[in-house]
Amino acid sequence: MINKVEICGVNTAKLPILTNEEKDALFARIKSGDKSAREELIQGNLRLVLSVIQRFLGRGENVDDLFQVGCIGLMKSIDNFDTTLNVKFSTYAVPMIIGEIRRYLRDNNSIRVSRSLRDTAYKALQAKERLTAKNAKEPTIEEIAKELELPKEDVVFALDSIQDPLSLFEPVYNDGGDAIFVMDQVSDEKNLDENWLEEIALREAMKKLGPREKHILNLRFFKGKTQMEVAGEIHISQAQVSRLEKSALKHIKKYI
């Protein structure tokens, strides 16, 4: 579904790509009250929304719905972006778009907690308040379970069932500078958000290369071929392959 050309009436094959200079100019026009500049900036960043929603496929959600919600996150990021900070707009916008989609998925979650489990959770909360008032300290799970005459595990499951999902981009500490988010405290070497963001940046940078440069990088770094093998396949010299490869990598570094 993500490969279809039209999403929410938008022809994704014809979406524009803005340079950093064009984005800066549009933000300047927005500050001066130019409403058309905001629309241009939204249109110029819809590819970013498309990149983000790919992460949420396979959950049974309609792609058009995810795209619309992602666009809301994009618009919020445009309205709140501080151009005086030395931060790329995409770096700021991606977490905003992700957060908006996560809220949508959470609010439209088809999973429902059973009434009995919810009742147990509320009884546990009431018992916690009683024991806190009685002993002037917060009770342990064991003490709450004893008060309710229930197994400790049942109390834990019940309390967990009424907890709101926590976003990976929820700030847990802020000393006035950069905030520390939940994802900064979670270690997952196989699926780091930083790696995922870098993958998006790399994919966008690759789109700016010519067909031959793309083909050479694909053969060299994705198919593991040597420069000599690439030269033989596309019928140019090894020196030309080396030169084109270096030029392509230089352009990718500049765009990233």
Side-chain angles (χ1 to χ4, degrees), residues 201-210 214 217-218 222 252:
L202 177 60
R203 192 159 55 237
E204 292 299 315
M206 287 282 286
K207 291 178 182 177
K208 300 179 185 296
L209 299 177
K214 287 181 185 177
L217 292 187
N218 181 55
F222 294 95
I252 284 179

Side-chain angles (χ1 to χ4, degrees), residues 75-178:
M75 289 185 282
K76 287 183 178 180
S77 63
I78 290 174
D79 294 339
N80 293 284
F81 183 60
D82 187 349
T83 55
T84 63
L85 299 177
N86 188 26
V87 177
K88 289 179 65 175
F89 174 69
S90 58
T91 303
Y92 176 79
V94 166
M96 291 280 284
I97 297 170
I98 291 174
E100 200 67 33
I101 294 175
R102 286 189 183 280
R103 278 190 290 274
Y104 166 77
L105 293 174
R106 180 191 65 197
D107 295 341
N108 291 274
N109 196 339
S110 59
I111 298 175
R112 295 291 182 266
V113 178
S114 69
R115 180 178 294 274
S116 61
L117 198 59
R118 190 177 293 274
D119 288 344
T120 300
Y122 291 142
K123 288 178 182 178
L125 293 176
Q126 292 172 352
K128 180 180 178 180
E129 291 181 4
R130 290 197 304 271
L131 291 171
T132 300
K134 178 182 177 181
N135 302 320
K137 68 173 184 177
E138 189 170 303
T140 64
I141 292 294
E142 288 82 0
E143 290 171 336
I144 295 174
K146 183 178 180 181
E147 175 77 7
L148 296 175
E149 298 182 348
L150 290 172
K152 179 181 67 174
E153 291 76 12
D154 289 358
V155 175
V156 172
F157 291 149
L159 291 174
D160 283 346
S161 72
I162 62 170
Q163 295 297 315
D164 290 329
L166 186 65
S167 169
L168 286 175
F169 293 94
E170 185 80 20
V172 294
Y173 176 74
N174 193 329
D175 63 352
D178 292 337

Side-chain angles (χ1 to χ4, degrees), residues 133-256:
K134 178 182 177 181
N135 302 320
K137 68 173 184 177
E138 189 170 303
T140 64
I141 292 294
E142 288 82 0
E143 290 171 336
I144 295 174
K146 183 178 180 181
E147 175 77 7
L148 296 175
E149 298 182 348
L150 290 172
K152 179 181 67 174
E153 291 76 12
D154 289 358
V155 175
V156 172
F157 291 149
L159 291 174
D160 283 346
S161 72
I162 62 170
Q163 295 297 315
D164 290 329
L166 186 65
S167 169
L168 286 175
F169 293 94
E170 185 80 20
V172 294
Y173 176 74
N174 193 329
D175 63 352
D178 292 337
I180 295 177
F181 300 97
V182 172
M183 75 173 190
D184 297 322
Q185 310 298 308
V186 179
S187 176
D188 181 2
E189 296 179 357
K190 294 183 179 180
N191 189 28
L192 289 174
D193 279 83
E194 290 87 347
N195 294 341
W196 180 70
L197 293 176
E198 287 176 2
E199 184 181 337
I200 291 179
L202 177 60
R203 192 159 55 237
E204 292 299 315
M206 287 282 286
K207 291 178 182 177
K208 300 179 185 296
L209 299 177
R212 185 161 66 166
E213 286 80 5
K214 287 181 185 177
H215 186 48
I216 288 173
L217 292 187
N218 181 55
L219 293 174
R220 287 279 291 121
F221 300 105
F222 294 95
K223 295 189 177 179
K225 295 194 175 185
T226 65
Q227 288 185 351
M228 287 297 293
E229 289 173 330
V230 174
E233 183 166 330
I234 63 178
H235 308 295
I236 61 175
S237 69
Q238 185 268 333
Q240 286 178 292
V241 171
S242 177
R243 204 159 43 243
L244 289 168
E245 179 184 315
K246 288 179 181 178
S247 176
L249 291 175
K250 183 179 179 181
H251 278 84
I252 284 179
K253 288 179 181 179
K254 181 180 73 173
Y255 288 123
I256 290 179

Side-chain angles (χ1 to χ4, degrees), residues 15-30:
L15 289 176
I17 299 176
L18 299 176
T19 64
N20 289 330
E21 291 75 16
E22 288 173 329
K23 290 177 184 178
D24 292 340
L26 287 171
F27 273 117
R29 286 170 54 193
I30 290 173

